[in-house]
Amino acid sequence: MSEVKLNVNDKTGYFYIEVNGKAEAKMTFVFEDGTKMIIDHTEVHPKNKGKAFGKQMVTKAVEYAREKELKIIPQCSFVKSVFDKVPEFRDIL
């Protein structure tokens, strides 16, 4: 499993996975009202298809949201599909 890293400031942020020092996957979000995290885009380099990088980043986002007591609004269709398939994540919707 690859390490998911986080870059965040007061208004926005992104989760990402590096391979050999290069970002190969990225999931961006914005904060709203200090209570919500709107995930708006997920991108994984095509050569990493099938490595579950997207799901790993969603899992990390769920952990982060729970820790910070945030709700997630999945505007990204990929993230929405993960929430549809993983009922354990729905407590933060």
Side-chain angles (χ1 to χ4, degrees), residues 48-68:
N48 294 300
K49 186 174 179 172
K51 294 182 181 177
F53 283 3
K55 187 172 181 189
Q56 289 175 43
M57 291 187 297
V58 174
T59 301
K60 196 64 148 184
V62 168
E63 292 169 2
Y64 179 82
R66 286 178 178 152
E67 177 185 313
K68 301 292 184 185

Side-chain angles (χ1 to χ4, degrees), residues 5-22:
K5 298 178 181 180
L6 172 63
N7 184 313
V8 66
N9 64 41
D10 291 341
K11 297 179 182 177
T12 66
Y14 59 91
F15 293 91
Y16 64 103
I17 295 174
E18 287 183 347
V19 177
N20 298 322
K22 183 178 177 196

Side-chain angles (χ1 to χ4, degrees), residues 4-91:
V4 178
K5 298 178 181 180
L6 172 63
N7 184 313
V8 66
N9 64 41
D10 291 341
K11 297 179 182 177
T12 66
Y14 59 91
F15 293 91
Y16 64 103
I17 295 174
E18 287 183 347
V19 177
N20 298 322
K22 183 178 177 196
E24 294 288 335
K26 185 175 183 180
M27 184 175 69
T28 61
F29 62 89
V30 296
F31 292 114
E32 182 181 286
D33 301 331
T35 62
K36 298 177 190 97
M37 187 168 115
I38 302 169
I39 301 175
D40 53 11
H41 184 72
T42 304
E43 187 173 335
V44 177
H45 192 283
K47 73 179 180 185
N48 294 300
K49 186 174 179 172
K51 294 182 181 177
F53 283 3
K55 187 172 181 189
Q56 289 175 43
M57 291 187 297
V58 174
T59 301
K60 196 64 148 184
V62 168
E63 292 169 2
Y64 179 82
R66 286 178 178 152
E67 177 185 313
K68 301 292 184 185
E69 298 181 358
L70 300 169
K71 293 292 184 182
I72 289 180
I73 299 173
Q75 284 187 342
C76 167
S77 59
F78 171 77
V79 175
K80 184 175 179 339
S81 74
V82 173
F83 275 94
D84 289 345
K85 294 174 190 166
V86 184
E88 299 83 23
F89 290 172
R90 294 186 194 145
D91 64 298

